[in-house]
Amino acid sequence: MSLDDLRKSIEEEIQGMLSSDFKIEITETTTVPSLDDIGITYPNFVTGIQKCKLIETCVLYIDLRKSTDLNLSHRRDTMSKLYSTFIRSIMKAATQYNGKVRNVVGDRVMVLFDSAECFGNAYKTAVLLNSVVAKLLNKHFINNEIKAGVGIDYGKMLVTKAGIIKKGYENTNYKSLVWLGKPANIAAKLTDLANKTITKQTLHKKDVIWERLEFPLTQKDSWLPYTPEEFLEKRLKRIGWTKKFEHVDQYYDYHYVIQKTEVKSDEFTHSPILMTEVVYKGVLKEAEDMSSVKDGRIKEETKINIPGYNGKVYGVDTGLRLLNNIQKSTSIKPLMCFLEVLGTLLHCKINRYLFFITIEQFVVPDLTWNQNYQKIELMFQRVYQVHDTYLLVDLNSTRLYQSPQKIYIAFANHFYTISH
């Protein structure tokens, strides 16, 4: 095809699509459409009709953080394995709570949900995906560099087919579903910010008073800087009951004021899971059984500004306990190794023979006993890596003893070994 023929072909299609005779038929649905959905068609210029579907539901995106840096710091084969593992893991986990993967672009995956209970399913999926990345993928990278961000929004989206029909093996590469609507756009922007460290620099101007002291005997002078408050409070004194002031230093000569500009940096990291206000309200109703919801761990993120969105943004960093292939162990050596690593992490003293750990720095005096107990309990629910083996202390066989200034944690002789 010549360029002139190509131009004419494109112009004809544009005119045909924009013609008032060409109709768009929209059908509402509550289930997530697929590419094979007969209710969604490509533009048919013979019948002058294109069929689309409209769904009101939650849309979720997940994206790797610092993927460009990862490409620069790892070999090609390592990055190929990472991307493949990431995408496959996310696609498998997304279906756990009725999620439907509908788009994969690079390291970004799009997941949608049927309208029924979409808030609860989207949130549970987000928590699961965050766990998969943080606890399963990340443990294979020594620098803890594998992180992901999740964004969720809710609303109406128009689903249409885009592409052209080609013959041969290239056919599938020219077809895709397109999700038109604000929710997909907002969710994508939230994903861009989730689990991302932001550094904001602001300029602050302040007055500085430079004071000159002159010493006649030595014929030397000295310059000293003061803030306006310091100069008024420390360098001046009132003359009697008058409104006049004089300098406290006999060698004072004169002073002048300049404006100094300082650059202040404010660094903060957004939560790995971000959601819009409508999603947050829906999660409170449909995912009330989740501990992160019951405990009120979902907080408003006040430092986020999404163009085109005026509502509040909420975030949370939470995960599920992914403890698979649990085996009972009776060996005492792994437990001792665990205690040594734990002591190093917490800067604690460990009595290796009585299986006691004395924790002083971890206890916060201002907290009640129950609050300290909860903090320590949460700490021991974490899984630590010791010589390629994962150990988790069984809290049911753990006892805490309190003295006036210390908390003792006694381990029973049995524990669980969590293998790869």
Side-chain angles (χ1 to χ4, degrees):
M1 181 184 293
S2 67
L3 289 177
D4 188 54
D5 291 336
L6 176 63
R7 178 186 60 80
K8 291 179 180 178
S9 174
I10 294 176
E11 283 186 349
E12 287 177 1
E13 286 199 2
I14 293 174
Q15 292 174 1
M17 285 288 296
L18 299 180
S19 170
S20 58
D21 296 329
F22 193 90
K23 304 298 182 183
I24 303 292
E25 293 184 356
I26 301 175
T27 304
E28 293 190 5
T29 181
T30 58
T31 58
V32 179
S34 66
L35 188 60
D36 299 326
D37 194 317
I38 61 174
I40 304 176
T41 64
Y42 295 101
N44 189 322
F45 293 100
V46 177
T47 61
I49 295 175
Q50 181 179 10
K51 295 180 180 180
C52 305
K53 284 195 172 182
L54 183 69
I55 185 171
E56 187 171 16
T57 187
C58 286
V59 54
L60 178 153
Y61 282 101
I62 181 169
D63 189 10
L64 273 178
R65 291 283 75 91
K66 296 184 177 180
S67 56
T68 302
D69 295 341
L70 290 172
N71 274 290
L72 295 175
S73 60
H74 291 285
R75 297 184 308 178
R76 293 172 183 170
D77 57 341
T78 302
M79 287 309 302
S80 178
K81 292 177 181 179
L82 168 60
Y83 275 85
S84 296
T85 305
F86 172 75
I87 297 299
R88 288 175 62 86
S89 300
I90 295 305
M91 294 179 78
K92 283 186 176 182
T95 62
Q96 183 70 22
Y97 298 104
N98 302 317
K100 312 284 175 46
V101 175
R102 286 296 179 263
N103 199 3
V104 178
V105 179
D107 56 11
R108 175 166 292 193
V109 181
M110 179 189 194
V111 186
L112 288 109
F113 305 85
D114 293 342
S115 299
E117 299 182 354
C118 66
F119 297 109
N121 288 331
Y123 181 71
K124 292 175 183 178
T125 300
V127 174
L128 177 59
L129 298 185
N130 188 41
S131 303
V132 168
V133 175
K135 295 185 178 181
L136 294 185
L137 287 176
N138 193 41
K139 73 180 183 182
H140 296 286
F141 290 79
I142 58 175
N143 295 323
N144 296 323
E145 55 192 336
I146 307 304
K147 298 179 180 179
V150 179
I152 315 172
D153 193 17
Y154 170 87
K156 292 183 178 181
M157 287 171 287
L158 186 66
V159 192
T160 181
K161 279 184 178 177
I164 57 177
I165 299 175
K166 291 183 70 71
K167 295 181 180 180
Y169 67 92
E170 284 284 327
N171 185 32
T172 56
N173 295 322
Y174 285 81
K175 298 178 180 179
S176 66
L177 287 179
V178 178
W179 304 79
L180 305 174
K182 194 173 180 181
N185 186 33
I186 298 300
K189 291 179 179 178
L190 288 174
T191 308
D192 292 335
L193 295 175
N195 215 358
K196 187 175 183 180
T197 299
I198 308 294
T199 301
K200 285 190 176 181
Q201 292 185 335
T202 55
L203 300 179
H204 295 268
K205 292 183 178 181
K206 66 176 185 178
D207 292 334
V208 178
I209 297 177
W210 282 92
E211 173 187 282
R212 182 177 185 271
L213 301 179
E214 184 177 20
F215 307 99
L217 295 179
T218 60
Q219 294 185 345
K220 293 182 178 181
D221 63 2
S222 147
W223 289 92
L224 299 174
Y226 295 97
T227 65
E229 293 77 15
E230 290 175 336
F231 188 78
L232 292 173
E233 293 177 4
K234 298 179 180 180
R235 307 302 288 167
L236 299 179
K237 65 180 180 180
R238 186 187 292 270
I239 302 176
W241 295 97
T242 68
K243 294 182 179 180
K244 297 181 178 180
F245 292 82
E246 63 179 358
H247 203 278
V248 297
D249 197 316
Q250 60 176 326
Y251 298 109
Y252 168 77
D253 185 19
Y254 66 90
H255 69 271
Y256 66 90
V257 181
I258 63 171
Q259 256 196 353
K260 183 179 179 181
T261 301
E262 292 183 345
V263 179
K264 291 188 176 181
S265 297
D266 182 20
E267 186 176 280
F268 53 90
T269 302
H270 296 305
S271 300
I273 302 172
L274 296 177
M275 66 195 80
T276 55
E277 189 171 5
V278 63
V279 174
Y280 169 69
K281 292 179 178 178
V283 167
L284 294 182
K285 296 178 180 178
E286 296 184 5
E288 57 183 357
D289 57 323
M290 300 283 287
S291 60
S292 54
V293 178
K294 291 188 291 186
D295 299 344
R297 275 180 271 161
I298 308 176
K299 304 293 184 182
E300 182 182 353
E301 299 263 342
T302 58
K303 296 182 178 181
I304 289 183
N305 181 29
I306 302 294
Y309 174 71
N310 298 322
K312 297 179 180 179
V313 174
Y314 291 83
V316 66
D317 183 3
T318 186
L320 300 175
R321 297 182 190 177
L322 302 173
L323 306 178
N324 299 321
N325 195 19
I326 297 181
Q327 301 173 351
K328 197 69 174 286
S329 173
T330 56
S331 171
I332 203 66
K333 290 183 180 179
L335 177 59
M336 298 315 306
C337 187
F338 173 79
L339 293 178
E340 290 177 1
V341 173
L342 188 60
T344 303
L345 290 172
L346 299 176
H347 308 288
C348 305
K349 299 177 182 178
I350 300 178
N351 186 323
R352 300 181 58 184
Y353 304 101
L354 297 178
F355 306 109
F356 276 79
I357 292 182
T358 305
I359 299 181
E360 298 177 81
Q361 298 180 7
F362 194 79
V363 178
V364 181
D366 295 334
L367 296 181
T368 65
W369 162 248
N370 286 334
Q371 289 172 328
N372 269 314
Y373 183 99
Q374 291 172 0
K375 284 189 65 177
I376 295 174
E377 188 179 40
L378 288 173
M379 174 190 69
F380 278 95
Q381 288 172 357
R382 294 181 56 190
V383 180
Y384 293 92
Q385 184 175 358
V386 183
H387 299 307
D388 296 326
T389 301
Y390 286 83
L391 301 175
L392 180 68
V393 176
D394 182 5
L395 288 176
N396 294 325
S397 62
T398 304
R399 298 292 179 266
L400 278 73
Y401 303 92
Q402 183 187 25
S403 69
Q405 295 180 342
K406 301 177 182 178
I407 287 182
Y408 297 91
I409 301 177
F411 298 95
N413 287 336
H414 63 278
F415 55 98
Y416 290 116
T417 301
I418 301 160
S419 58
H420 292 291

